[in-house]
Amino acid sequence: MPAAAQTATPAPGQPPANWYPSRYGADDQIGAMNLLNAQKVLEAVRLVTRGQVYRLGVPVGRETPAFPPRSLSVTVMMPDQFGGATVPSENRMSYADDMFTGWLGVGSQIDSFAHLGIDNVFYNGNRAQDFMHTTGVTRLGIEGIPPMVTRGVLVDMARARGKPMLDEGEIITADDLRNVMRDQGVQVRRGDVVLIHTGWVELLERDPARFGKGEPGIDNGAAEYLASLEVVAVGADTWGVEAVPFRNPNRVWEGHQTLLAKNGIHILEVMDTRALARDQATEFLFVLGQPLLKGAVQAIINPIAIR
């Protein structure tokens, strides 16, 4: 169960941060997903006027760059069908199976609230010692995330800065987001999913080594601003959403802490936003039903945008 209202142990010289229990109650596990309801779904569905579908996930395989030490592989087998044999049957049936070996945080993915915390405390005051096990988490797991059907908005930072791709370490601030949203006519509403296009995903195909070494992205102030808009998820076409290298190497992944731990907002990474950006789409129906992997803290996903 979540700890009672208290403060996480502050870093030296830092004031305590009163960030739990959650606004949704001390037992809550779904965070900002509480904001989604039938009315929000119907509002999002009304955005579909063209029947145009966009795949937001990317193909994932052995060569996909990932945050170290993550990797994965798929092994295909034809069990007991050696040397061209078939399954004993008059119709000579053949079949193949596959085995997945690897990490779930590779390629297009969603972060659950059990993925990243503050001093071993995770969303809503859940302490690692109470729910984190090598066999899977007993709270905040991927299987507990409700279906995400809502309005999505695209913030095209590459177009705003007049170049096809932002650079590694290039920071997107709260003011940047405000200005681009205003200029591009993007209005974020409660319960939305916000996707940021930087152009970085293009490197997956032509320079995967560079893709995985750094990235443009938001800073913590931008994460705080997005949280204030009461969104349910923040995503980008990068592998970590935040700018890397970090401006301050002694403060890492603060945006993740702000979104996941403090505000119960999911993070969507390696979103393929190229087609949406090319079509200058600003809003769309966003649909995600993640795999229900019991006890997992991340999952490989393929969300869909529909206009």
Side-chain angles (χ1 to χ4, degrees):
M1 299 292 289
Q6 55 186 299
T7 61
T9 304
Q14 296 293 321
N18 297 294
W19 51 274
Y20 59 89
S22 163
R23 59 185 283 192
Y24 305 109
D27 292 327
D28 179 66
Q29 295 189 57
I30 66 172
M33 292 291 287
N34 281 285
L35 300 173
L36 297 190
N37 53 34
Q39 181 179 351
K40 185 68 180 180
V41 173
L42 292 172
E43 170 197 329
V45 168
R46 285 193 289 270
L47 297 172
V48 179
T49 59
R50 306 181 183 187
Q52 189 170 358
V53 178
Y54 299 81
R55 184 185 74 183
L56 299 175
V58 301
V60 180
R62 294 172 183 261
E63 304 304 319
T64 304
F67 188 74
R70 300 176 196 166
S71 65
L72 65 80
S73 64
V74 173
T75 304
V76 176
M77 299 165 284
M78 298 183 71
D80 299 322
Q81 299 163 75
F82 306 107
T86 62
V87 174
S89 57
E90 291 182 0
N91 56 315
R92 300 185 61 80
M93 191 272 284
S94 301
Y95 78 98
D97 269 352
D98 43 17
M99 181 174 64
F100 176 92
T101 306
W103 302 67
L104 295 174
V106 178
S108 301
Q109 63 195 269
I110 184 172
D111 290 345
S112 82
F113 305 147
H115 174 52
L116 194 142
I118 303 170
D119 196 15
N120 288 297
V121 181
F122 294 75
Y123 172 71
N124 214 2
N126 286 282
R127 296 183 177 277
Q129 65 194 46
D130 298 328
F131 79 104
M132 195 81 62
H133 307 281
T134 56
T135 53
V137 294
T138 56
R139 295 181 66 83
L140 308 179
I142 286 291
E143 78 278 13
I145 303 174
M148 196 177 294
V149 180
T150 188
R151 176 175 177 262
V153 299
L154 183 73
V155 180
D156 192 341
M157 290 301 306
R159 180 160 65 97
R161 294 189 176 173
K163 53 186 179 180
M165 184 180 71
L166 275 59
D167 299 317
E168 44 268 271
E170 189 169 345
I171 292 174
I172 300 168
T173 67
D175 284 341
D176 292 331
L177 291 174
R178 289 190 192 94
N179 294 336
V180 174
M181 289 175 185
R182 180 196 65 225
D183 295 343
Q184 295 180 359
V186 175
Q187 183 180 10
V188 175
R189 303 170 190 154
R190 172 187 282 190
D192 285 351
V193 168
V194 174
L195 301 181
I196 301 171
H197 177 72
T198 70
W200 195 250
V201 72
E202 189 74 27
L203 291 176
L204 258 181
E205 297 161 1
R206 63 182 176 86
D207 194 347
R210 182 184 173 192
F211 176 87
K213 287 182 179 178
E215 61 180 1
I218 62 174
D219 63 7
N220 189 51
E224 290 173 340
Y225 169 64
L226 291 168
S228 75
L229 299 178
E230 298 185 288
V231 299
V232 297
V234 173
D237 60 345
T238 61
W239 52 266
V241 178
E242 300 183 56
V244 179
F246 300 104
R247 175 176 287 177
N248 181 348
N250 295 315
R251 303 189 69 84
V252 300
W253 304 116
E254 283 190 281
H256 276 57
Q257 292 178 321
T258 291
L259 294 171
L260 295 171
K262 294 183 179 181
N263 290 284
I265 295 171
H266 291 290
I267 294 176
L268 310 172
E269 296 166 340
V270 197
M271 296 290 96
D272 192 346
T273 52
R274 288 176 289 185
L276 286 172
R278 183 173 58 247
D279 291 349
Q280 296 189 22
T282 57
E283 60 178 356
F284 44 87
L285 171 64
F286 180 92
V287 181
L288 171 63
Q290 80 288 347
L292 302 179
L293 299 169
K294 189 173 181 180
V297 304
Q298 296 168 298
I300 299 169
I301 58 172
N302 179 30
I304 302 297
I306 312 173
R307 298 173 65 210

